[in-house]
Amino acid sequence: MQRDFWEERWQKGETGFHQDILNPYLAYFYGEKGPALAARQSLKVFVPLCGKSLDMLWLAQNGYQVLGIECSDIAIKDFFQEHKLEYRVEPGQPFIRYVSEEKTGQSRIEILHGDFFDLAPADLEGITDIYDRASMIALPETMRLDYFKKMLELQTEGMRTLLITLTYPQQEMDGPPFSVTENELNELYGEAFKIDKLLGKDILVDEPRFQQRGLSSLYETAYKLTRK
Ligand SMILES: C[S@@+](CC[C@H](N)C(=O)[O-])C[C@H]1O[C@@H](n2cnc3c(N)ncnc32)[C@H](O)[C@@H]1O
């Protein structure tokens, strides 16, 4: 699951993980249950391993500033072009920055082209929230440990994450997506983060592609993690 695996998937258009609809947990926890519109201007959401997620556009159209990171420039260009957003490209190392400035009805969206594991705490300056859909679960177990270590390094006290996981019998299917259990989450994040389980439901009945891949159960869970 190294970068070249994902870059090849974007090149071949094998992007079954991409959702054409807004994620309902995002709409609920950042929308309906989220802060008032006026309070959102001071909030900046980091979207790790962001792909071309529509959720970033929704965040920016609903008052939040957005910072994504993605290793495929195909995904990043698709995102801006498919939504007809003007953007500029700022070359740099280790990240090339793609920036769509704030305009009426849309906050600033910035996407870093590069490797999540190259991020330093200074890159996340101003970030208050993290939205993790299909990021942690995109990684196999050994890489999830590195992902956790990087998240620990990057976050300061009070930062909140909305994390959406999938749990299924791992022996029934090769990832991605990978199964992440509540146990693993507690073991990794339990000491440095407050973990609140928000919602969970069995989604197998709505997921024919995972039924076809042989799963007998598939559970989706949303957590709020707060850095202590
Ligand atoms: C399963 S997809 C999820 C995309 C997005 N979060 C969504 O909800 O549609 C994982 C994404 O992470 C990107 N990715 C994988 N490893 C990465 C890394 N080390 N640094 C940056 N992006 C990475 C892939 O190119 C892919 O777009």
Side-chain angles (χ1 to χ4, degrees):
M1 260 20 54
Q2 302 296 334
R3 278 182 63 169
D4 48 0
F5 166 87
W6 291 103
E7 279 162 340
E8 199 180 319
R9 288 194 66 168
W10 280 102
Q11 275 156 15
K12 291 183 174 167
E14 293 169 357
T15 53
F17 51 80
H18 176 73
Q19 288 185 333
D20 285 326
I21 53 160
L22 178 68
N23 186 277
Y25 294 108
L26 179 77
Y28 186 61
F29 290 112
Y30 284 81
E32 217 179 313
K33 290 273 275 181
L37 202 56
R40 293 178 193 168
Q41 279 150 16
S42 59
L43 301 178
K44 188 170 173 186
V45 183
F46 174 52
V47 185
L49 281 58
C50 62
K52 59 171 184 175
S53 171
L54 189 64
D55 300 336
M56 292 190 286
L57 185 65
W58 183 90
L59 283 166
Q61 289 176 339
N62 284 274
Y64 302 92
Q65 296 170 68
V66 176
L67 174 72
I69 183 160
E70 169 55 51
C71 66
S72 163
D73 61 345
I74 297 176
I76 301 174
K77 286 175 190 159
D78 278 3
F79 172 78
F80 288 112
Q81 285 163 8
E82 285 173 14
H83 301 300
K84 301 186 171 43
L85 299 174
E86 279 179 29
Y87 65 96
R88 63 171 191 276
V89 183
E90 296 175 0
Q93 277 298 335
F95 305 112
I96 299 170
R97 289 171 189 274
Y98 289 69
V99 184
S100 175
E101 284 300 351
E102 179 179 352
K103 58 180 184 183
T104 312
Q106 185 217 290
S107 304
R108 188 175 197 268
I109 305 176
E110 178 175 354
I111 303 182
L112 306 180
H113 176 218
D115 194 324
F116 167 82
F117 295 100
D118 287 337
L119 282 168
D123 295 313
L124 262 63
E125 209 190 317
I127 294 294
T128 53
D129 292 84
I130 300 174
Y131 171 59
D132 181 329
R133 184 254 155 198
S135 308
M136 186 183 186
I137 62 167
L139 304 171
E141 197 176 356
T142 47
M143 289 187 78
R144 288 201 296 276
L145 181 59
D146 294 337
Y147 182 81
F148 160 72
K149 287 181 187 161
K150 181 52 80 175
M151 280 299 194
L152 195 62
E153 178 197 333
L154 294 174
Q155 293 188 43
T156 52
E157 192 182 334
M159 271 193 203
R160 302 163 292 239
T161 300
L162 176 63
L163 168 69
I164 301 163
T165 61
L166 291 176
T167 311
Y168 62 84
Q170 186 65 85
Q171 72 280 6
E172 290 182 357
M173 181 179 92
D174 290 333
F178 293 92
S179 175
V180 173
T181 63
E182 199 168 339
N183 236 1
E184 177 182 340
L185 202 68
N186 285 328
E187 273 174 24
L188 284 178
Y189 287 79
E191 206 176 307
F193 292 80
K194 179 174 178 289
I195 304 176
D196 295 301
K197 191 171 171 180
L198 302 174
L199 279 177
K201 59 175 181 170
D202 196 335
I203 58 163
L204 190 61
V205 67
D206 305 319
E207 294 285 349
R209 70 190 171 118
F210 290 119
Q211 290 169 25
Q212 281 155 17
R213 287 174 73 179
L215 290 194
S216 58
S217 73
L218 181 63
Y219 210 76
E220 188 176 58
T221 314
Y223 297 92
K224 179 182 177 187
L225 311 177
T226 312
R227 180 75 166 102
K228 290 182 194 164

